[in-house]
Amino acid sequence: MITVKVIRQSSGQPAEGKKVALGFSAILGRGVTETKFTDRNGEVHCDTKNGDGKVFVDGSTKHTGYLSGRIVVYI
């Protein structure tokens, strides 16, 4: 499982209601996960395996690299 936490850079507060998706490299052949919305804690939980990819928030790339565990991104 991979957890993404989205934080507002201006306030340091969790960002609720943001669209999050994970995109994995073509080598893994998994493509992009289903889009989920952050909860009141700014979190999304994705039941997927770890791997190289990107975190998208509202369609913009916010993190690129190995996706595993807990990832915190700032918007």
Side-chain angles (χ1 to χ4, degrees):
M1 179 180 299
I2 298 171
T3 298
V4 176
K5 184 168 184 91
V6 181
I7 302 290
R8 294 187 186 281
Q9 193 168 6
S10 60
S11 66
Q13 297 299 311
E16 183 177 2
K18 295 296 180 180
K19 292 189 300 186
V20 175
L22 305 179
F24 290 92
S25 67
I27 295 170
L28 297 175
R30 295 191 304 193
V32 179
T33 63
E34 124 185 43
T35 298
K36 295 186 175 188
F37 289 89
T38 55
D39 61 18
R40 66 186 184 115
N41 297 316
E43 294 184 341
V44 165
H45 306 284
C46 300
D47 189 21
T48 187
K49 294 180 182 178
N50 302 338
D52 289 317
K54 297 180 180 183
V55 175
F56 301 100
V57 179
D58 289 341
S60 296
T61 303
K62 296 300 177 184
H63 175 84
T64 301
Y66 191 74
L67 307 181
S68 69
R70 183 179 184 85
I71 301 164
V72 178
V73 297
Y74 294 87
I75 60 169

